[in-house]
Amino acid sequence: MITPPAIQVENLTLAYGNRVLLKNADFSVKKGDIFIIMGASGSGKSSLLRILTGLTKPASGKILINGTDFLNASEEQQLNIMKKCGILYQSGALFSSMTLAENIALPLQQYSTYSKEDISYLVSLKLALVGLAGFEEFYPSEISGGMKKRAGLARALALDPEILYFDEPSAGLDPVSSRLLDNLMMDINQSLGTTLVVVTHELDSIFTIAKNAIFIDATTQTISARGNPHELLKNPPNENIYKFLTRGKNHA
């Protein structure tokens, strides 16, 4: 029996009114992949992520998640699918009035049957996994931007997701914090086998973590390149992807 990809996108069109951002998109994300959605600012990367996570609907097209038609599934089916997914937003999106422990416990309290003691243990485990052991009682205002991102990642990991989505994870971070987060993402992928889908335009992250990628070309409103970024740099299928991958320093 052939195992379906983690995500299969077919003939997807993304539009806001008459403004088309992406048309007739087809791509798949293999289980256990680190898959990058890349493109210039305003190309529709984050909008595509919102569709993949069920926050908005496309103009047309189909999305299969682990073989299930996500867009046409019932509300209950969609909820069950999303319980197996985690999301790290740009800002970390932590609740400022709650401690880190309370933030991470929230999805466990809402969507699991664990006891209070088990939840407390799992919260400490997830914080330790992202390098924040001992920070349970800290509030988001008391930690750095990089730590907020890692705390947000701990919350995204709370329900042991099969798929993790990241929206510009390096945004607002200094190079050292960004590299630490990249390394953490690769560790999670390798140790847990979690599929990562990452929206970013940061070249350092793209060349460090990506196994596969698609490039959303704002000039054609299409996916104009796909594959490993290192291979795309060696054999660029078009000028726009070459310009995108050679901004600043040469990564060849």
Side-chain angles (χ1 to χ4, degrees), residues 14-217:
L14 165 61
Y16 292 105
N18 294 326
R19 184 184 175 219
V20 176
L21 292 178
L22 181 64
K23 55 190 176 185
N24 305 323
D26 293 280
F27 64 91
S28 62
V29 181
K30 296 182 291 186
K31 291 181 186 293
D33 213 349
I34 300 181
F35 188 90
I36 303 293
I37 299 172
M38 56 186 182
S41 297
S43 60
K45 304 185 302 296
S46 293
S47 295
L48 175 57
L49 190 68
R50 289 177 63 84
I51 289 172
L52 293 176
T53 55
L55 295 175
T56 57
K57 291 190 177 295
S60 61
K62 193 172 186 178
I63 298 172
L64 302 175
I65 298 182
N66 290 321
T68 299
D69 186 344
F70 181 57
L71 296 177
N72 292 313
S74 67
E75 194 172 314
E76 182 180 0
Q77 287 174 316
Q78 286 189 340
L79 179 59
N80 287 332
I81 289 170
M82 290 312 299
K83 284 180 183 178
K84 297 178 182 178
C85 301
I87 307 172
L88 177 62
Y89 298 98
Q90 276 193 41
S91 63
L94 298 169
F95 293 102
S96 60
S97 62
M98 300 169 69
T99 65
L100 300 191
E102 290 168 339
N103 268 281
I104 295 157
L106 194 59
L108 291 163
Q109 292 165 345
Q110 292 184 328
Y111 299 117
S112 81
T113 57
Y114 290 118
S115 67
K116 185 177 180 180
E117 292 74 19
D118 286 341
I119 288 176
S120 179
Y121 169 76
L122 288 170
V123 165
S124 294
L125 184 67
K126 302 304 179 183
L127 281 171
L129 184 64
V130 300
L132 291 175
F135 282 83
E136 285 84 352
E137 299 309 312
F138 280 67
Y139 286 88
S141 61
E142 298 175 321
I143 59 176
S144 68
M147 294 167 77
K148 287 177 186 176
K149 291 286 181 81
R150 284 187 279 145
L153 179 54
R155 186 178 61 187
L157 288 166
L159 295 171
D160 297 320
E162 297 174 6
I163 302 172
L164 268 176
Y165 296 101
F166 297 80
D167 187 11
E168 298 284 4
S170 299
L173 297 184
D174 61 83
V176 173
S177 296
S178 180
R179 178 53 63 91
L180 285 172
L181 186 59
D182 285 344
N183 290 339
L184 181 57
M185 291 161 66
M186 290 189 292
D187 287 344
I188 289 168
N189 172 256
Q190 292 168 6
S191 62
L192 303 179
T194 311
T195 303
L196 309 187
V197 178
V198 185
V199 164
T200 185
H201 67 277
E202 298 287 346
L203 289 181
D204 285 338
S205 292
I206 288 169
F207 284 106
T208 298
I209 70 175
K211 295 181 181 178
N212 286 294
I214 56 172
F215 174 69
I216 300 179
D217 194 327

